Amino acid sequence: HPCGACPGCTQRLLCISVVVLLILVAALALGLTLALLPRAPAPNNRTGFLCDDRMTCVPASWVCDRVSNCRNGEDEQEQLCGDLPHSLPGHLVFYCSNPRFWVYADQRCNRMNECGDCSDETWSLAACPPCGQEWWTCSSVYFEFCSCIPRRLCRDGVQHCLDWSDEFICAA
Ligand SMILES: [Ca+2]
Ligand SMILES: [Ca+2]
């Protein structure tokens, strides 16, 4: 039978047409959405400097270190490095408790005392997470550390903690 001959056939054809149309519209909408979405700035979510290739993410402390890490050396350009730290984007800089001193953002909470007064490590300003598995928590007697001592320094016969806990309590 030709389709017009029975009402059921026409209805089925109409139904199929509507479904096909709906699928097409949905596909178009999905395509548009994907095309309009902002592209991910980097392969993973890290804080750093994004090179012009939109792929290479340079750690903050590699910016303006006189070594080109971007293919075209964008991380060392005059515009960025001419007046440190003011010429740097704010997210790459951490100001110590004494605002005359600053460190790169990736030096905050890296367990090393780069501010000199541990304000990049232990003060509320830095808001660091707890020391974690690899570290022993105590007050350091060494200038280079603050409140986290590498566990490899536990029970090595040298006092690293003010309370000696690295030699008497910490298990390496
Ligand atoms: Ca560099
Ligand atoms: Ca630090």
Side-chain angles (χ1 to χ4, degrees):
H1 292 287
C3 270
C6 68
C9 286
T10 317
Q11 228 165 16
R12 200 182 307 152
L13 196 69
L14 190 71
C15 200
I16 290 169
S17 305
V18 167
V19 168
V20 167
L21 199 69
L22 277 178
I23 289 172
L24 277 177
V25 167
L28 193 71
L30 186 71
L32 264 178
T33 310
L34 286 179
L36 292 177
L37 271 179
R39 301 292 291 273
N44 48 27
N45 191 13
R46 286 185 295 161
T47 301
F49 177 79
L50 190 62
C51 298
D52 287 350
D53 65 7
R54 314 276 305 155
M55 288 292 290
T56 313
C57 182
V58 176
S61 54
W62 294 12
V63 177
C64 304
D65 66 345
R66 296 171 190 274
V67 177
S68 285
N69 302 100
C70 292
R71 191 176 303 161
N72 298 319
E74 304 94 274
D75 59 314
E76 301 299 323
Q77 63 188 319
E78 171 68 23
Q79 193 188 350
L80 198 64
C81 310
D83 179 26
L84 294 178
H86 313 289
S87 49
L88 288 171
H91 73 277
L92 297 183
V93 179
F94 175 82
Y95 286 95
C96 302
S97 70
N98 181 341
R100 285 193 301 129
F101 298 115
W102 64 279
V103 298
Y104 284 102
D106 56 352
Q107 292 170 319
R108 180 184 73 90
C109 303
N110 67 348
R111 314 309 183 200
M112 305 303 287
N113 177 19
E114 275 107 359
C115 279
D117 61 0
C118 283
S119 56
D120 55 327
E121 297 298 323
T122 56
W123 295 30
S124 58
L125 202 64
C128 297
C131 295
Q133 291 282 312
E134 306 281 302
W135 306 81
W136 176 253
T137 307
C138 74
S139 290
S140 174
V141 294
Y142 284 90
F143 179 80
E144 60 179 321
F145 302 116
C146 294
S147 61
C148 303
I149 309 292
R151 272 188 188 269
R152 62 182 161 78
L153 299 179
C154 286
R155 298 187 191 256
D156 67 346
V158 179
Q159 179 193 10
H160 289 87
C161 297
L162 212 56
D163 62 3
W164 284 91
S165 60
D166 59 310
E167 292 303 306
F168 292 104
I169 302 174
C170 174

